[in-house]
Amino acid sequence: MAAAGRTTADPSSHQGCAISSVRLRPPAQRGELRERHEDGHRLHHLLWRLGPGVRVCSSAVLGGGIGPRAWILNAQVPGGYPRLDPDRHLAEIAAAEGLAGPGAGLMTAADVAAYTTGHDGGVTVTVTAGLGVRGWAAAPATTTPAPYRPGAADAPVPPPAGPAAAGAPLTGPGPGEAPGGPFRPGTVNIVVLLPVPLSDSALVNAIATATEAKVQALLDAGLDCSGTPTDAVCVAAPEPGSDGGEPFAGPRSPWGARIARAVHTAVLAGARPAA
């Protein structure tokens, strides 16, 4: 993809993360698509500079939970990600970008430059979707979970042989994917930006609403799955004042309905090429 513009001076590298000041496509509501080079790989990350007065509720590997966050980072990593310190790696990328204060960081082996967006009534959703490794959340009890490592679940592995095959883990090849076939990344990362404050319970409810809408979109795309083993969600909203913020974010509340429609639009757009 041709670069739309380039600054005369690139930021210095940090811990091997060389960040290039290249605008690859117009940003979506404060989001920037950035490029870096690590260990011979050309990678991208999406960056939201939120500034002060914003709370984020997320399942992010860096800065997860609920609290003030100045930025959100969704970073692409190579398939078969080898590092065991993803939080530190994300912090290194953030430092190379000159980011300060607490932030939330997500990872994926999917192509971040192929992100999709959804908009509804002031809500903006950005999704990076890798669905080569997918399955149902409620896996059989015979599944033996592997230690969690972002990117590791993105690499297809052969399913078990014999009786255990019926309980093959979600980290195995996706439907229609032959064992030992070409690498197909997994992980669906969802970033939701709202213009109104939400209460603590509404922030948590917004995560659930976004997840429900994601599953609906995957089914509407014709995929027999509820997601991938490493999906993550971030919801960002202004800090509430004395009124405590919007109390509800379920799919039939005003703001929850907007979240659901925007997430559905973005996930469906990202999932259709994988169908």
Side-chain angles (χ1 to χ4, degrees):
M1 183 184 301
R6 185 185 300 268
T7 63
T8 56
D10 289 341
S12 59
S13 65
H14 178 85
Q15 300 288 334
C17 302
I19 308 298
S20 178
S21 297
V22 179
R23 177 66 55 78
L24 298 179
R25 69 173 66 180
Q29 194 171 327
R30 297 177 288 174
E32 304 171 40
L33 182 63
R34 306 279 284 168
E35 180 183 291
R36 72 188 193 279
H37 298 270
E38 293 180 10
D39 300 323
H41 297 282
R42 178 173 173 265
L43 303 166
H44 298 104
H45 54 272
L46 282 165
L47 171 61
W48 289 261
R49 303 177 192 268
L50 304 176
V54 177
R55 288 202 310 169
V56 171
C57 178
S58 79
S59 58
V61 67
L62 172 68
I66 300 178
R69 302 289 183 266
W71 47 268
I72 299 173
L73 182 67
N74 183 13
Q76 180 183 359
V77 296
Y81 181 67
R83 292 184 60 161
L84 299 175
D85 58 346
D87 53 344
R88 180 168 181 163
H89 188 185
L90 286 162
E92 291 168 2
I93 298 171
E97 285 285 8
L99 300 175
L106 308 92
M107 279 188 170
T108 179
D111 181 8
V112 168
Y115 71 88
T116 56
T117 60
H119 308 271
D120 194 291
V123 175
T124 295
V125 171
T126 305
V127 168
T128 55
L131 290 157
V133 180
R134 57 185 186 265
W136 297 103
T142 53
T143 299
T144 302
Y148 175 73
R149 188 168 44 138
D154 298 333
V157 296
L170 296 183
T171 53
E177 181 178 352
F183 170 77
R184 297 177 62 196
T187 304
V188 178
N189 283 341
I190 300 172
V191 175
V192 180
L193 300 177
L194 290 107
V196 298
L198 300 181
S199 67
D200 285 0
S201 60
L203 276 172
V204 175
N205 206 353
I207 296 287
T209 295
T211 302
E212 289 183 46
K214 174 197 74 175
V215 176
Q216 181 181 348
L218 294 176
L219 295 178
D220 287 346
L223 301 176
D224 54 344
C225 66
S226 58
T228 85
T230 53
D231 293 354
V233 184
C234 280
V235 176
E239 291 183 344
S242 58
D243 63 353
E246 294 288 328
F248 306 113
R252 290 299 171 264
S253 68
W255 287 103
R258 293 165 185 155
I259 292 170
R261 289 190 293 264
V263 169
H264 183 272
T265 296
V267 173
L268 186 62
R272 276 179 168 156

